[in-house]
Amino acid sequence: MKNQLNVLLEEVCTQGVTAGVFPGVSAAVSVYRGNAYQRGVYNGGITRNGKGGRQVNPLTYFDLASLTKPLCTTLCTLALIDRGFLQWNEPCLSVLGDSLRPEKRAVTCHRILHHSTGFPAYHPYFSAFRPLAAQTNKAAIRDLILAEPFVYEPDSRCLYSDLSFILLGQVIEQLTGSTLDHLYQTTILAPLNLVEEITFIPLNGSVLKMSRDQIAAAALCGWRHKVMHGEVDDEHCWLMGGVCGHAGLFATVDGVQRLCELLLDCWQGRARHPAFATELLRYALEWNDGKNSWRLGFDSPTPGQSSSGRYLSPHSVGHLGFTGTSFWIDPEQDVVVILLTNRVHPSRENIKIRAFRPFFHDYLLQGIRKMQ
């Protein structure tokens, strides 16, 4: 099956590059059969247009954007719940300040992970800042978010929000006395030997772990007046130093594939992660209020209109990233599908990924079914 999976990935990803959906792509699929994973991987296209562009290869890192929410912040939250630092339904924002309004004091990590806090989806705070990654920006943006009035009654609906995950990342740091990237590296990644494959890129002058040639370029940013290459694309994460709860991760396709396989294995009872109880992970992956597609930190397919296409089961979980990234994990079919692209390079106005994502997943799942 392995060679057939590679062929499927090459066929569908080549169509994406040719059609201008993205300049570069790394994609992977894992199918668990016979007590082992059958894996397919494809790397194609280029990391950057014009001078400095390289062929995408297995060592190419992509800006994961919002995949940071489930793959980092949610898993770190599970680790803190396991250790007793957090409780699902106990208020958690009080560690960020003493003068919070009562409705903000009532926010729990459960509501944040479910996107049902009451916070707005987004606000372009960055536009009021100079494009300088100063140390004071973190507290300034935190205070701006905490001052935002709620736009709906908490728990009455879901509204996908960057703002609440920015706060959750800072809650984690306050409770542990560690930076989010250090905690993630030592607690979640190190036991899986994934420290080199998945990483934040802090803007503190430290030396990059990888060459810039190994990183896929993102958007030409009008506010920062440059192509974002080797620095996080998200403006707020960039302002706060490159490490945040809502964005900032970079990874190779192998790193994301192996992490998602571990999550599937834990879900299926084939493995466990030392940082959190398997029951906590299952609760996050399976909890749903029956009113929307959101689990806790993860999304699930929306019937009839999901980016995951038509063939993943309704029990699947996954997430999208603004830069053109996604993962889906299907426990019924024992399948993991990863798509990493730099569709925002050079322009965020390229939205061809919206039609490509369901086509991509349908193409793969139909092909896998024919192999069985």
Side-chain angles (χ1 to χ4, degrees):
M1 181 183 284
K2 181 177 180 181
N3 288 338
Q4 292 173 290
L5 293 175
N6 288 341
V7 170
L8 281 175
L9 286 167
E10 181 175 5
E11 289 173 348
V12 68
C13 289
T14 300
Q15 292 183 58
V17 173
T18 302
V21 179
F22 35 71
V25 56
S26 286
V29 61
S30 303
V31 183
Y32 192 83
R33 298 290 185 270
N35 298 318
Y37 279 107
Q38 301 296 317
R39 298 181 177 92
V41 180
Y42 177 74
N43 303 282
I46 56 175
T47 60
R48 176 173 180 157
N49 293 335
K51 185 178 180 181
R54 299 288 187 273
Q55 292 295 312
V56 172
N57 62 62
L59 299 179
T60 299
Y61 288 77
F62 286 82
D63 183 334
L64 298 188
S66 284
L67 301 197
T68 304
K69 294 181 178 76
L71 298 184
C72 169
T73 310
T74 298
L75 298 185
C76 287
T77 299
L78 296 182
L80 265 60
I81 291 173
D82 193 89
R83 297 179 184 182
F85 283 87
L86 285 168
Q87 299 295 326
W88 285 117
N89 292 305
E90 289 187 4
C92 64
L93 295 187
S94 59
V95 297
L96 300 181
D98 297 325
S99 57
L100 298 183
R101 294 181 62 85
E103 68 271 17
K104 305 295 171 52
R105 286 187 174 275
V107 170
T108 65
C109 65
H110 194 286
R111 287 178 177 173
I112 292 175
L113 295 177
H114 190 230
H115 295 285
S116 58
T117 57
F119 277 108
Y122 182 77
H123 187 88
Y125 302 115
F126 71 89
S127 62
F129 288 74
R130 295 178 61 197
L132 298 172
Q135 291 184 346
T136 55
N137 291 342
K138 194 170 184 177
I141 292 176
R142 176 199 67 206
D143 293 343
L144 287 169
I145 297 173
L146 289 173
E148 285 283 354
F150 281 171
V151 295
Y152 62 95
E153 185 70 22
D155 286 333
S156 66
R157 57 178 287 203
C158 283
L159 181 64
Y160 179 77
S161 176
D162 273 3
L163 308 188
S164 55
F165 264 80
I166 291 173
L167 296 180
L168 183 56
Q170 295 196 26
V171 166
I172 290 170
E173 293 185 333
Q174 287 293 323
L175 289 174
T176 62
S178 173
T179 60
L180 182 62
D181 56 331
H182 178 73
L183 178 72
Y184 182 55
Q185 180 184 86
T186 56
T187 303
I188 305 299
L189 299 180
L192 307 178
N193 294 316
L194 287 176
V195 171
E196 296 301 320
E197 289 80 9
I198 305 176
T199 185
F200 287 93
I201 301 180
L203 300 174
N204 59 6
S206 60
V207 178
L208 279 175
K209 293 181 180 179
M210 72 293 288
S211 165
R212 193 179 300 270
D213 290 344
Q214 290 178 257
I215 305 172
L220 172 58
C221 178
W223 174 66
R224 285 165 287 191
H225 307 293
K226 61 181 178 180
V227 171
M228 304 315 298
H229 193 184
E231 300 174 35
V232 65
D233 183 73
D234 182 90
E235 293 95 343
H236 293 133
C237 183
W238 187 90
L239 268 176
M240 291 183 279
V243 178
C244 282
H246 72 299
L249 276 187
F250 288 74
T252 65
V253 71
D254 178 67
V256 179
Q257 184 179 28
R258 287 166 57 194
L259 179 54
C260 288
E261 287 178 355
L262 183 277
L263 296 179
L264 178 56
D265 284 341
C266 290
W267 199 354
Q268 303 285 45
R270 297 189 290 255
R272 68 176 300 273
H273 194 292
F276 46 78
T278 299
E279 291 73 19
L280 286 173
L281 177 65
R282 285 178 177 157
Y283 179 72
L285 297 176
E286 296 175 4
W287 188 90
N288 184 257
D289 63 2
K291 301 175 183 177
N292 55 77
S293 65
W294 284 100
R295 310 292 175 84
L296 298 179
F298 297 80
D299 201 3
S300 64
T302 302
Q305 55 183 339
S306 176
S307 68
S308 65
R310 297 171 291 169
Y311 300 111
L312 288 177
S313 78
H315 297 105
S316 303
V317 299
H319 211 284
L320 306 183
F322 180 78
T323 49
T325 58
S326 66
F327 73 87
W328 286 97
I329 302 170
D330 187 338
E332 289 190 11
Q333 300 183 74
D334 249 347
V335 168
V336 170
V337 184
I338 314 294
L339 179 64
L340 307 183
T341 82
N342 57 342
R343 71 94 192 167
V344 295
H345 180 69
S347 172
R348 294 176 175 178
E349 301 304 312
N350 178 8
I351 59 172
K352 294 179 181 179
I353 192 80
R354 294 180 183 175
F356 181 80
R357 276 180 171 135
F359 168 74
F360 169 81
H361 293 98
D362 284 352
Y363 195 96
L364 289 180
L365 268 295
Q366 285 177 310
I368 290 170
R369 290 182 176 188
K370 292 177 182 177
M371 296 176 194
Q372 298 172 352

